[in-house]
Amino acid sequence: MKTINIAIDGPAGAGKSTIAKMVSAKLGYIYVDTGALYRTAALYITENNIPDENIEKALESADISLKFIDGAQRVFLGGRDVSELIRTPEISMAASRTSAVPAVRAYLFETQKKIARENNVIMDGRDIGTVVLPDAEVKIFLTASAEERANRRYKELAEKPDCPPYEDILKDIIQRDYQDMHRETAPLRQADDAVLVDTTNLDLEQSAEEIVKIITKRIAGEG
Ligand code: DC
């Protein structure tokens, strides 16, 4: 049976994962956060101190997989659940760097394709609409201004004792945007047939509703 694939791409901090989770719950699709795969590859490379020129070979013995437990995605590195471990700022930066290495992208390509072949998915990432699922039924490019994204991240972290200053968060976001958009392999860009959704002035619920509307219309053949 042909599965339905929805691609959601966009820069870091646009709310992709939260919004995509809400949308997939509404539609009953599996939500796939491909960033977690890149983060896990970065963790593997960092933990084992692998220099760039050895990454391709080293990945042959990496064992990275996703499991869906009660509908929620968990990511495993060699049988170890690393879903929380990959969420540090260090791994964010490392993932942005190592995801530019073609061998990393090639290694994770088939993992992503397989999940989409076997399930109705909402898959979020940077190159889902352009490279991984070019035939996705619906493509969304989700964005928000860098300042608004930094603001949201700052609010998320504000409760924590080691919350970085707003300026540092903004600087990080701008740097990651630049790296993600200017790498040679599969840079972040809006697919020609993607619908742009700017969430700068929308809350999560409004953003999710907007996307559900786009998807339902497209799948019904009206949009
Ligand atoms: O979405 P995220 O912040 O968890 O992604 C982590 C890094 O992985 C990000 O810097 C870009 C990269 N990434 C990618 O290159 N392609 C994807 N499909 C998903 C993430």
Side-chain angles (χ1 to χ4, degrees):
M1 196 189 73
K2 163 115 182 57
T3 55
I4 296 177
N5 295 165
I6 316 283
I8 302 190
D9 292 298
K16 285 194 306 291
S17 58
T18 312
I19 296 167
K21 258 184 224 160
M22 292 164 75
V23 173
S24 52
K26 285 181 202 252
L27 298 176
Y29 293 2
I30 283 187
Y31 162 62
V32 184
D33 164 16
T34 63
L37 293 170
Y38 286 93
R39 286 169 180 272
T40 306
L43 180 69
Y44 177 77
I45 292 164
T46 319
E47 280 186 338
N48 295 291
N49 283 319
I50 301 165
D52 282 5
E53 61 276 19
N54 295 348
I55 288 179
E56 187 172 359
K57 184 91 193 94
L59 282 174
E60 285 172 16
S61 39
D63 172 20
I64 297 174
S65 62
L66 293 182
K67 285 193 188 134
F68 297 91
I69 300 171
D70 294 331
Q73 171 185 300
R74 308 293 298 177
V75 61
F76 290 81
L77 175 60
R80 178 167 58 124
D81 185 339
V82 295
S83 311
E84 274 81 39
L85 207 59
I86 56 169
R87 297 289 159 197
T88 62
E90 292 72 33
I91 294 296
S92 297
M93 238 351 135
S96 180
R97 199 186 68 74
T98 56
S99 63
V101 176
V104 172
R105 307 205 72 81
Y107 172 77
L108 295 175
F109 183 78
E110 191 45 40
T111 311
Q112 299 170 79
K113 289 293 271 190
K114 185 165 184 285
I115 299 170
R117 259 197 312 271
E118 295 172 353
N119 304 280
N120 290 336
V121 294
I122 304 216
M123 191 172 273
D124 98 30
R126 302 295 189 287
D127 62 337
I128 308 305
T130 49
V131 177
V132 180
L133 304 175
D135 299 324
E137 276 73 12
V138 186
K139 299 180 187 177
I140 308 280
F141 194 81
L142 193 73
T143 189
S145 71
E147 290 73 17
E148 175 59 20
R149 286 183 282 135
N151 208 7
R152 290 176 190 168
R153 185 84 188 121
Y154 180 70
K155 280 195 200 142
E156 249 173 57
L157 295 175
E159 311 287 298
K160 307 205 170 152
D162 49 358
C163 176
Y166 168 85
E167 289 69 28
D168 289 6
I169 296 178
L170 180 61
K171 217 172 78 201
D172 255 33
I173 284 189
I174 292 171
Q175 188 187 340
R176 284 179 65 197
D177 281 359
Y178 186 88
Q179 285 176 195
D180 292 348
M181 290 191 296
H182 290 82
R183 65 179 178 222
E184 260 176 50
T185 316
L188 169 66
R189 73 171 180 85
Q190 183 178 345
D192 296 338
D193 51 352
V195 182
L196 178 70
V197 176
D198 186 330
T199 70
T200 307
N201 298 307
L202 300 180
D203 66 21
L204 291 172
E205 193 55 50
Q206 290 169 324
S207 310
E209 263 171 36
E210 173 72 18
I211 292 175
V212 168
K213 241 192 266 163
I214 296 169
I215 296 174
T216 349
K217 239 177 148 184
R218 281 275 160 122
I219 289 180
E222 295 163 14

